[in-house]
Amino acid sequence: MLGLPKGEVYLIPWTNEWVTEFRNESEKIKFELGELVLAVHHIGSTAVKNLSAKPIIDIAIELNDYQRGIQCIEGLKRLGYEYKGTNILPERYYFSKGEPRTHQIHMFQTNNLYMKKQLAFRDFLQNDSEALNGYQALKEKLSSTHYSDKITYSHAKTDFINTILKNLGFN
């Protein structure tokens, strides 16, 4: 099951279908964008086995040159993505797909700090069951109290995430 309607926050249990969906979408992106793309990464909670998540596949596209992101817009539109701009996070192109939204693309230049943090947090949760269980409990609590407020839900996870990232050497 994929798709999260605007204004809603709910979690569904992790499913291997998310891995398959990411792989399929990644192949389409690589075929469409070709040499513009250095790598395509599965990020966010759908990338972490056994972690409940909002049913949206988060994808990070890594570019050799950030300026080449402009050249990716038309190709991603052909795949059904809507370009949302660069003003939400610095040095990131953002795209979404579907209504309800099923996929999000975060496009960065290689070695972007935000992308490194996303990958490090994902990898840490995949390898630390105590942190995974703690994050799962926090997400369940927050999704039940902030079921109609995505921004508050996201911000309320920040301290947990930042504590782990600090322990991993990110400041």
Side-chain angles (χ1 to χ4, degrees):
M1 175 183 167
L2 281 180
L4 185 70
K6 285 183 181 180
E8 292 185 32
V9 176
Y10 60 84
L11 306 175
I12 63 173
W14 186 86
T15 173
N16 199 50
E17 291 174 24
W18 291 340
V19 174
T20 302
E21 182 63 31
F22 166 75
R23 284 185 189 141
N24 292 340
E25 198 70 10
S26 175
E27 290 305 313
K28 291 176 192 174
I29 290 166
K30 289 175 189 174
F31 182 80
E32 183 66 41
L33 301 181
E35 66 183 34
L36 293 170
V37 173
L38 180 63
V40 180
H41 306 280
H42 192 181
I43 60 172
S45 294
T46 61
V48 180
K49 187 174 183 177
N50 298 320
L51 182 62
S52 295
K54 297 182 311 247
I56 301 171
I57 304 296
D58 279 293
I59 300 168
I61 295 178
E62 193 172 344
L63 306 170
N64 276 324
D65 178 1
Y66 180 73
Q67 298 306 320
R68 294 188 80 188
I70 294 294
Q71 298 170 26
C72 298
I73 294 171
E74 288 305 314
L76 291 172
K77 283 183 178 180
R78 284 191 291 274
L79 294 177
Y81 287 91
E82 183 179 344
Y83 178 53
K84 300 290 190 173
T86 60
N87 60 344
I88 298 170
L89 280 178
E91 302 173 3
R92 176 192 76 159
Y93 296 91
Y94 177 67
F95 301 81
S96 66
K97 183 177 186 177
E99 186 51 51
R101 186 174 34 164
T102 58
H103 299 75
Q104 312 186 108
I105 290 177
H106 314 266
M107 189 181 307
F108 303 100
Q109 181 165 320
T110 192
N111 292 320
N112 175 280
L113 181 60
Y114 183 78
M115 185 179 67
K116 284 181 173 183
K117 287 179 177 181
Q118 287 279 327
L119 296 171
F121 185 69
R122 176 202 67 192
D123 293 348
F124 183 79
L125 290 179
Q126 287 174 336
N127 294 297
D128 188 301
S129 60
E130 185 177 333
L132 176 71
N133 292 336
Y135 193 50
Q136 173 74 29
L138 175 63
K139 289 176 54 142
E140 287 174 1
K141 176 184 173 193
L142 294 174
S143 68
S144 68
T145 57
H146 303 293
Y147 54 87
S148 63
D149 187 350
K150 181 181 75 164
I151 293 171
T152 300
Y153 167 81
S154 294
H155 286 209
K157 299 184 299 180
T158 301
D159 287 343
F160 183 95
I161 294 167
N162 285 341
T163 297
I164 287 176
L165 290 172
K166 184 175 181 183
N167 291 335
L168 293 173
F170 293 94
N171 293 325

